[in-house]
Amino acid sequence: MSRFSTLILHVDGSVEGNPGPGAIGVVIEDGHGTPVEAWGEAIGHCTNNQAEYQALLAGLRKARRLGAKTVAVRSDSQLLVRQFLGEYKVRDAKLKPLHEEARRLARAFDSFDIVHIPREQNRAADRLANRARLAQ
């Protein structure tokens, strides 16, 4: 039995220039909003949208390792959220495999949702991503 049946993931990507050196930030909270884990990580040269997807993938992989059954993703990337929900087509060939992997990972949970939030509500993940990008 998992310690965390429900997890909330705040994900963000950061790129200097576009494309340029990129990083991700992920904040994972339990179902009550209590922080469980948070990290930033440099991911190398990429676009801002690739960084957003990499942040989502990192969060989903960690949620799976933590045994979550229900996952709620919060992102300030409207493109990421709308592509995931099928409202926007994934036209960029480099985003297609990231999109497919994210959809595959999301299906592993009993319940999954992804919501666009204002940037102000994603400051912690943004700060981690920026810190990791600047440190590379």
Side-chain angles (χ1 to χ4, degrees), residues 12-15 23-24 43 46-56:
D12 200 19
S14 175
V15 174
I24 62 170
I43 59 170
C46 62
T47 67
N48 60 329
N49 293 324
Q50 288 171 320
E52 297 286 355
Y53 268 99
Q54 291 291 354
L56 173 61

Side-chain angles (χ1 to χ4, degrees), residues 10-14 23-27 39 48 51-56 74-77 80 119 122-130:
H10 288 263
V11 298
D12 200 19
S14 175
I24 62 170
V26 180
V27 176
W39 73 95
N48 60 329
E52 297 286 355
Y53 268 99
Q54 291 291 354
L56 173 61
R74 304 296 175 250
S75 170
D76 60 26
S77 170
L80 173 78
R119 180 165 285 160
N122 211 28
R123 286 198 196 283
D126 179 64
R127 199 171 10 252
L128 290 167
N130 285 323

Side-chain angles (χ1 to χ4, degrees), residues 1 15-16 59 68 89 101 113 119 126-127:
M1 181 77 187
V15 174
E16 179 67 32
K89 288 188 173 164
E101 176 71 1
D113 81 322
R119 180 165 285 160
D126 179 64
R127 199 171 10 252

Side-chain angles (χ1 to χ4, degrees), residues 106-126:
R107 284 192 297 271
F109 301 106
D110 293 345
S111 175
F112 176 88
D113 81 322
I114 184 167
V115 175
H116 177 256
I117 59 172
R119 180 165 285 160
E120 309 81 62
Q121 293 177 20
N122 211 28
R123 286 198 196 283
D126 179 64

Side-chain angles (χ1 to χ4, degrees), residues 79-90:
L79 180 94
L80 173 78
V81 172
R82 291 195 172 196
Q83 282 183 342
F84 192 94
L85 295 173
E87 296 170 11
Y88 289 173
K89 288 188 173 164
V90 183

